[in-house]
């Protein structure tokens, strides 16, 4: 399956932003020290074969958007909102499952209950829409805000990437 994730990177221009994001994306597909295999492969939107490059929903997004721009801020906010909505929905479903199942049923992963626990706890992969320049998942609005505040001297860019998992 494909999804559009966002890499939040400090950079001086769009070209540097995409380059920095590729480092994070490489780590998310297993390249480099301390890398994970959260995704199978990726395409940045400067590549002609990127699935989301010309998708009507994204209106031909640029490969990198400054957080100083309305489009950049909206792209980041859309990801934060989608991530929060998915988390709340999954957590509500999990609560209902846990109320109706006994311990053995949960251990046996009846109704994918244990799998839901796993997805809620992921630090990278299809449950996380936003990453920093090192490939670390920014799993909540507060994590995004803390990341931006911690690096407040930098200009930030949002780099959308089409990933497969």
């Amino acid at each position: 399956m494909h999804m559009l994730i966002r890499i939040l990177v400090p950079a001086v221009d769009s070209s540097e932003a995409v380059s920095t994001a590729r480092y994070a994306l490489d780590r998310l597909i297993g390249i480099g020290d301390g890398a994970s295999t959260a995704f199978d492969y990726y395409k940045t939107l400067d590549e002609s074969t990127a699935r989301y490059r010309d998708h009507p929903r994204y209106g031909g997004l640029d490969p990198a958007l400054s957080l100083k721009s309305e489009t950049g801020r909206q792209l980041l906010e859309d990801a934060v909102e989608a991530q929060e909505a998915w988390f709340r929905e999954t957590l509500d479903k999990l609560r209902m499952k846990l109320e109706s199942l006994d311990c053995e049923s949960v251990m046996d992963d009846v109704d994918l209950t244990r799998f839901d626990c796993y997805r809620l706890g992921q630090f990278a992969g299809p449950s996380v829409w936003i990453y920093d320049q090192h490939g670390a998942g920014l799993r909540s609005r507060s994590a995004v805000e803390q990341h931006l505040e911690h690096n407040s001297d930098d200009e930030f860019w949002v780099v959308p990437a089409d990933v497969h998992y």
Side-chain angles (χ1 to χ4, degrees):
M1 296 194 68
H2 286 263
M3 69 183 287
L4 190 73
I5 63 170
R6 283 74 160 178
I7 313 299
L8 191 56
V9 299
V12 296
D13 60 23
S14 176
S15 179
E16 182 184 7
V18 172
S19 177
T20 302
R22 283 196 178 120
Y23 170 79
L25 289 159
D26 283 349
R27 292 179 55 93
L28 290 167
I29 63 167
I31 299 172
D33 292 335
S36 71
T37 53
F39 301 107
D40 300 325
Y41 61 87
Y42 71 87
K43 299 280 185 184
T44 53
L45 298 190
D46 60 337
E47 299 176 59
S48 63
T49 57
R51 177 183 173 106
Y52 287 103
R53 178 180 155 84
D54 298 316
H55 193 284
R57 178 175 178 186
Y58 302 106
L61 282 175
D62 291 330
L65 300 109
S66 172
L67 266 189
K68 291 180 179 178
S69 73
E70 180 66 30
T71 307
R73 286 190 305 274
Q74 189 61 54
L75 188 64
L76 179 60
E77 181 61 24
D78 289 349
V80 169
E81 288 177 2
Q83 190 167 263
E84 287 176 342
W86 174 86
F87 188 88
R88 284 188 186 104
E89 180 181 311
T90 303
L91 185 60
D92 288 345
K93 288 178 183 177
L94 178 61
R95 283 182 175 141
M96 289 175 30
K97 290 176 186 181
L98 291 173
E99 288 175 2
S100 66
L101 296 173
D102 61 18
C103 184
E104 186 173 318
S105 296
V106 173
M107 287 179 68
D108 289 339
D109 201 19
V110 170
D111 201 17
L112 296 176
T113 305
R114 286 184 83 160
F115 181 68
D116 285 344
C117 292
Y118 163 75
R119 292 187 320 150
L120 286 170
Q122 283 186 308
F123 287 88
S127 302
V128 182
W129 277 254
I130 309 161
Y131 297 84
D132 71 8
Q133 68 268 26
H134 306 290
L138 300 173
R139 304 184 308 159
S140 66
R141 181 178 300 278
S142 63
V144 170
E145 290 170 357
Q146 287 173 5
H147 181 66
L148 292 172
E149 287 173 19
H150 181 69
N151 301 289
S152 61
D153 293 338
D154 296 320
E155 179 181 351
F156 273 90
W157 294 73
V158 180
V159 179
D162 169 19
V163 295
H164 183 270
Y165 62 96

